[in-house]
Amino acid sequence: MVATSRKSATAEDLLDDPNWERLELFGGEIVERAIPSADHSLVETKLAAAFDPFNRRAGGPRGPGGWWVFVEIHTRYSSGELYCHDVAGWRRERMPMKPQTKTINLRPDWVCEVVSPKHELRDHVTKPRTLHAAEVPHYWIIDPEEKVVLVHRWSKEGYVVVQRATSGETVRAEPFEAIELHVDELFGDDELRDDND
């Protein structure tokens, strides 16, 4: 079982915990991440697969490349927060080498959170505030229950929703406009459709 939450904890306290992989640091408090549901895990897996053409060096024959994309990666922010993002990406021009540490201390270029029941406040309010202050350029929220993808872009005033999509739609969503994203696939609905063909 995880350690009891502490109100004045640091990232080092979190990383010293034997269960650190299931923990995050919000405002000096260590909290346990939600245990992913099957739908949540499916979205993470499908999203990572969809963006595999980016997860390589730029200029190769198998996709646009130019990114590191990681699932469930701990990222430390200058504000002291330490989040385990569901999926996050860094442009290789900013982070040339794959990290070899427990946490990444460089702010991401893109973050995607998959909404978990009873954690909506973290994904819709708390994390976006930290990411905005850190100037993370792109923030996505995917809701498996509602089957909705919200694409946010950083602006000085706050994140702006620049695209909304749901099952049945195909989109080119920033910062990955180079490929089409079939929203059905994120939620496993493509298999249902294929079975009925």
Side-chain angles (χ1 to χ4, degrees):
M1 197 63 193
V2 300
T4 305
S5 297
R6 292 161 278 174
K7 289 288 186 182
S8 59
T10 65
E12 286 68 29
D13 294 327
L14 184 152
L15 295 170
D16 285 342
D17 191 294
N19 298 303
W20 70 272
E21 292 173 319
R22 297 295 319 147
L23 303 174
E24 293 183 291
L25 185 64
F26 285 86
E29 182 177 4
I30 294 175
V31 297
E32 190 171 0
R33 293 189 70 223
I35 295 173
S37 66
D39 287 341
H40 187 284
S41 294
L42 178 67
V43 170
E44 285 182 357
T45 302
K46 295 281 191 169
L47 195 60
F51 292 147
D52 188 56
F54 292 93
N55 203 11
R56 61 190 79 249
R57 277 179 269 136
R62 296 185 302 153
W67 287 79
W68 295 107
V69 178
F70 301 106
V71 174
E72 296 193 6
I73 187 77
H74 279 78
T75 306
R76 191 186 303 209
Y77 291 92
S78 59
S79 63
E81 308 297 270
L82 179 58
Y83 298 149
C84 183
H85 294 302
D86 292 323
V87 190
W90 286 259
R91 292 183 187 273
R92 290 190 185 206
E93 62 202 32
R94 290 186 57 245
M95 189 169 72
M97 303 297 293
K98 183 172 71 171
Q100 302 296 318
T101 57
K102 284 183 173 180
T103 64
I104 297 177
N105 297 326
L106 180 66
R107 70 117 174 108
D109 293 294
W110 168 76
V111 168
C112 179
E113 294 296 346
V114 181
V115 177
S116 297
K118 299 183 182 175
H119 289 89
E120 296 89 351
L121 181 65
R122 289 182 192 170
D123 295 332
H124 286 282
V125 179
T126 311
K127 285 185 179 181
R129 285 181 178 161
T130 298
L131 300 182
H132 183 263
E135 298 186 13
V136 174
H138 304 280
Y139 179 59
W140 290 20
I141 298 175
I142 298 180
D143 188 329
E145 187 173 316
E146 298 294 328
K147 297 187 178 183
V148 171
V149 178
L150 296 175
V151 177
H152 298 81
R153 179 190 307 142
W154 189 93
S155 76
K156 186 176 179 182
E157 295 77 27
Y159 279 111
V160 177
V161 176
V162 294
Q163 196 164 19
R164 296 171 175 88
T166 190
S167 283
E169 296 181 337
T170 299
V171 296
R172 289 184 181 270
E174 61 183 58
F176 303 107
E177 304 97 324
I179 63 168
E180 287 187 338
L181 180 65
H182 303 283
V183 179
D184 285 348
E185 292 177 5
L186 297 180
F187 304 112
D189 292 344
D190 58 323
E191 284 103 13
L192 293 174
R193 187 181 63 238
D194 292 344
D195 290 345
N196 294 325
D197 287 347

